[in-house]
Amino acid sequence: MPVIRLQHAVFDPVAECAKLELGDAGAVASFTGLVRGEGGLVALELEHYPAMTEEALKRIAADAAGRWALAGLTIVHRVGRMAPGERIVFVGAASRHRGDAINAMHFVIDWLKTDAPFWKREEFADGHSAWVEAREGDAVQREKWSDRTKKGCRGAAPLSGK
């Protein structure tokens, strides 16, 4: 059921949502992440080991499908070099009811930030570059999806998302 793609090419979030609207969906929730250009950033380079990353994304998708009644789930994540303003990630979830779609989408993006093995290197206008370190806030967001939101507790996920 889940569609998972790792790719260099740009993607169209409208087209991705349209695919999720087909079939038995009554709701589609989506998230599109963009490369931020803060602090003079000119490029973001994402590296990964394809088999390891694909396996991690499959596990995250399977966990979401086990927690919520989904009609569809799409994860598109770009790799390679991207400029500020470019789309980097898309997560879309379809379900018969909005709560499952919203919670699944939120869950997947929170887990991607902490559990998907990507290595990010930022390049700046002044010529220096640096690897991006994990952010504590991402781990805090992930922990909101604790045991109380496992299968059988549909709709129990917090949606505050600070």
Side-chain angles (χ1 to χ4, degrees):
M1 175 203 44
V3 173
I4 297 170
R5 293 194 322 266
L6 293 163
Q7 63 191 48
H8 288 273
V10 297
F11 59 85
D12 179 357
V14 174
E16 299 299 338
C17 282
K19 292 175 198 171
L20 287 166
E21 291 173 0
L22 302 174
D24 211 19
V28 173
S30 69
F31 172 85
T32 303
L34 308 173
V35 176
R36 294 184 300 267
E38 301 163 338
L41 184 83
V42 295
L44 178 67
E45 181 84 26
L46 251 72
E47 296 181 11
H48 75 299
Y49 291 110
M52 182 179 7
T53 305
E54 288 170 16
E55 187 59 35
L57 297 185
K58 286 178 186 176
R59 280 193 310 270
I60 293 167
D63 198 357
R67 291 171 185 242
W68 295 283
L70 300 178
L73 178 64
T74 300
I75 302 170
V76 180
H77 209 299
R78 290 187 59 203
V79 294
R81 186 180 170 88
M82 290 161 273
E86 289 188 47
R87 297 176 187 126
I88 188 171
V89 63
F90 172 86
V91 174
S95 64
R96 292 184 56 87
H97 303 284
R98 72 181 181 270
D100 284 350
I102 291 167
N103 286 325
M105 176 273 304
H106 195 176
F107 169 88
V108 170
I109 197 64
D110 284 348
W111 278 61
L112 282 176
K113 293 290 287 181
T114 59
D115 288 42
F118 292 103
W119 294 270
K120 299 176 185 178
R121 187 170 186 81
E122 296 176 324
E123 299 174 20
F124 296 91
D126 66 4
H128 86 278
S129 63
W131 292 102
V132 176
E133 299 292 328
R135 294 185 186 126
E136 184 179 338
D138 292 336
V140 169
Q141 283 297 111
R142 182 193 186 279
E143 288 306 311
K144 289 182 180 180
W145 302 102
S146 63
D147 291 339
R148 67 189 178 106
T149 59
K150 286 191 177 172
K151 191 173 181 179
C153 300
R154 297 185 194 279
L159 295 175
S160 61
K162 288 186 177 179

